[in-house]
Amino acid sequence: MLIAVFGVLILLNRQTGGLFEEAFVYIFPLPMTAYSAKYGLRSGVPVFIGMVMITLFCGSFTAIFYAITAALLGLAFGACLHHHVDTTRTMILVMVLAAVFNLLSTIVLASLFGYDLNREITEMQNMMSMAMEKAGVMMPENVFTHDYLKRLMIVSMVFMGVIQGFLIFQISLMVLKALRFPVQQAKPIREFFPPKWSGFLGLGLFLLYLFTFGRNGDTLAETLGQTIGVCGYLYLSCFGAIALSLLVQAYISRSKLVAILLCILALLMFPLPLTFLGFFYITGSLHESLLQRLSAQSSGK
């Protein structure tokens, strides 16, 4: 039945000419998630193979990769729900897989349909140069280079994939709860304790980015170093924003709106201190002390 539901979505996407494909990306994982959440990974593999087959027969050429990766994402997501894996870890797994699939889809589709990424970046660079010339601003030579814009585009694909994975996680949980599937309640992100080694890894990648930034060489190693370095920076900044939110609620105001506004200002005005705050939040005892203070305030002590 769920293979049939998946096939209907594939046919609907094909008959509408891919008009709603961006919306269907959030719906494609649902059938596979529902099945593997109830019956587990081993039972879900034959269903996944069936979904792949119906995609190859009924799907459009451009939607095949999206549909297959969405079904694979649903298989992993549902298996985690079936085995009662911690919801925060499940959410991070879904976000990572979505980011990887989003990046791979761009590479695969570019190679299949002749989409020239380098030419697109060159046109973007020319447009930025023309805009700065009209505004009377000199474009720095070492900034907005071809390789730098390529790295930014890759990082933006990863970042958009992370957001896409978060939305898939939330939408899938809401639908499964509405259908009375046995799914556990999601825990607040502040109760998630990332492994301490990930903080040191993120800091190392960020320092690698600072070391390679502004160098004249455009080697593959430097391009790769800056790309993964930005990912390390984003990782530390995210947990830095969580740490700042908890600090505001513990010492300034319990209002979540105030905490969100201050986090946005910090991301825009003080990104470097926020990065190191995220490092200490992951590797030190700051996380535990903030949770203890908030717990004491809630209990009225």
Side-chain angles (χ1 to χ4, degrees):
M1 183 186 69
L2 291 175
I3 293 175
V5 171
F6 189 79
V8 170
L9 293 174
I10 294 294
L11 286 174
L12 184 60
N13 180 65
R14 181 171 183 172
Q15 293 301 317
T16 56
L19 181 63
F20 304 104
E21 190 168 84
E22 293 299 325
F24 282 171
V25 169
Y26 303 98
I27 305 176
F28 280 146
L30 268 174
M32 191 68 253
T33 302
Y35 189 90
S36 55
K38 189 170 184 179
Y39 297 106
L41 178 63
R42 182 175 298 179
S43 299
V45 171
V47 179
F48 169 72
I49 296 174
M51 290 181 178
V52 171
M53 296 299 295
I54 201 170
T55 301
L56 295 175
F57 283 114
C58 303
S60 62
F61 191 67
T62 57
I64 287 176
F65 188 85
Y66 290 114
I68 292 176
T69 53
L72 183 59
L73 177 63
L75 177 64
F77 185 14
C80 291
L81 294 177
H82 179 78
H83 294 287
H84 303 287
V85 179
D86 181 74
T87 50
T88 307
R89 296 181 183 274
T90 302
M91 181 181 67
I92 292 177
L93 174 63
V94 172
M95 292 166 65
V96 169
L97 288 177
V100 172
F101 292 154
N102 190 50
L103 184 60
L104 287 178
S105 65
T106 304
I107 297 173
V108 170
L109 294 178
S111 60
L112 290 177
F113 298 102
Y115 176 75
D116 193 346
L117 185 61
N118 292 323
R119 185 173 60 185
E120 189 74 15
I121 294 174
T122 301
E123 292 179 359
M124 185 187 305
Q125 189 178 20
N126 293 334
M127 291 174 62
M128 294 176 65
S129 300
M130 292 174 60
M132 287 188 174
E133 288 178 2
K134 290 182 179 179
V137 179
M138 294 295 296
M139 186 172 180
E141 294 182 358
N142 294 330
V143 183
F144 301 128
T145 61
H146 185 275
D147 289 329
Y148 183 72
L149 290 176
K150 181 185 288 187
R151 286 189 286 270
L152 285 182
M153 182 172 287
I154 293 173
V155 171
S156 66
M157 292 174 189
V158 173
F159 185 69
M160 290 303 297
V162 168
I163 296 176
Q164 190 180 86
F166 176 78
L167 293 176
I168 290 173
F169 177 82
Q170 297 295 337
I171 293 171
S172 299
L173 281 186
M174 289 190 296
V175 173
L176 291 177
K177 288 179 182 178
L179 296 176
R180 301 183 182 278
F181 273 76
V183 294
Q184 56 269 38
Q185 188 71 25
K187 293 182 180 179
I189 190 65
R190 70 180 189 179
E191 295 183 8
F192 173 66
F193 286 81
K196 293 186 177 182
W197 61 263
S198 65
F200 291 100
L201 177 62
L203 181 63
L205 294 177
F206 177 61
L207 294 177
L208 177 64
Y209 168 76
L210 294 179
F211 176 75
T212 57
F213 181 76
R215 296 173 65 90
N216 294 325
D218 292 327
T219 63
L220 178 61
E222 290 178 355
T223 300
L224 181 61
Q226 290 198 16
T227 301
I228 62 176
V230 172
C231 293
Y233 162 74
L234 292 175
Y235 178 76
L236 294 178
S237 296
C238 288
F239 284 102
I242 297 172
L244 180 60
S245 175
L246 295 180
L247 282 170
V248 171
Q249 294 181 54
Y251 294 99
I252 300 177
S253 173
R254 297 301 298 272
S255 174
K256 293 184 178 180
L257 179 61
V258 174
I260 292 173
L261 291 176
L262 289 178
C263 288
I264 293 175
L265 289 176
L267 284 170
L268 296 176
M269 301 177 62
F270 307 104
L272 190 60
L274 196 67
T275 302
F276 286 99
L277 179 62
F279 171 74
F280 292 118
Y281 177 81
I282 297 173
T283 59
S285 60
L286 177 62
H287 191 176
E288 293 89 343
S289 61
L290 289 175
L291 290 182
Q292 290 175 1
R293 183 175 179 86
L294 289 173
S295 178
Q297 291 178 352
S298 299
S299 60
K301 295 181 180 180

